[in-house]
Amino acid sequence: GYVALYGDIQFDIHNLFLGYDETRKWEAWIFPRAGLVSNRATKSGSPMVGAGFGATYRLNNRWSLYSDMAFQMTTSEFTGGVGPTGMSVSTGFNGFVDFHVGIQWLVN
């Protein structure tokens, strides 16, 4: 497995182009991501950069549905220099995709 520590900067697409509307049900955003990732199997780490997009749908004043998806790029140190095929990956970059789905509790 791996452990990643990262930060996102979210840019709300609706608010950027349409202005803020507190009655809006849908919110969509894009984000750049940067951080560190550690591969526990190879005991190696790597810097990580990525980008993604996400959305929420407000069910009521207290609850909303949430999802986002992002692609992260890492250096070859993340895999310890060997890919799953056993071939060298010492040049270029590696990457992975993550996808999150959940429910948010909104505090007013």
Side-chain angles (χ1 to χ4, degrees):
Y2 64 90
V3 176
L5 177 64
Y6 54 84
D8 299 339
I9 300 174
Q10 295 181 345
F11 297 98
D12 188 304
I13 297 167
H14 290 118
N15 291 345
L16 284 173
F17 295 106
L18 302 174
Y20 178 73
D21 179 3
E22 68 181 40
T23 62
R24 185 178 294 128
K25 295 279 188 183
W26 284 101
E27 294 288 341
W29 62 88
I30 56 174
F31 56 88
R33 171 176 286 173
L36 300 170
V37 64
S38 174
N39 186 333
R40 309 308 294 156
T42 61
K43 296 184 177 32
S44 60
S46 170
M48 171 182 80
V49 295
F53 62 92
T56 57
Y57 179 76
R58 189 176 354 172
L59 299 171
N60 57 39
N61 287 340
R62 283 286 199 211
W63 299 96
S64 68
L65 300 175
Y66 167 90
S67 69
D68 76 16
M69 186 166 111
F71 177 74
Q72 286 77 224
M73 295 180 290
T74 66
T75 63
S76 59
E77 286 82 13
F78 177 67
T79 59
V82 177
T85 61
M87 297 174 65
S88 173
V89 291
S90 60
T91 61
F93 67 90
N94 300 295
F96 58 95
V97 173
D98 64 33
F99 182 71
H100 303 104
V101 177
I103 298 174
Q104 291 179 323
W105 177 48
L106 307 170
V107 179
N108 294 332

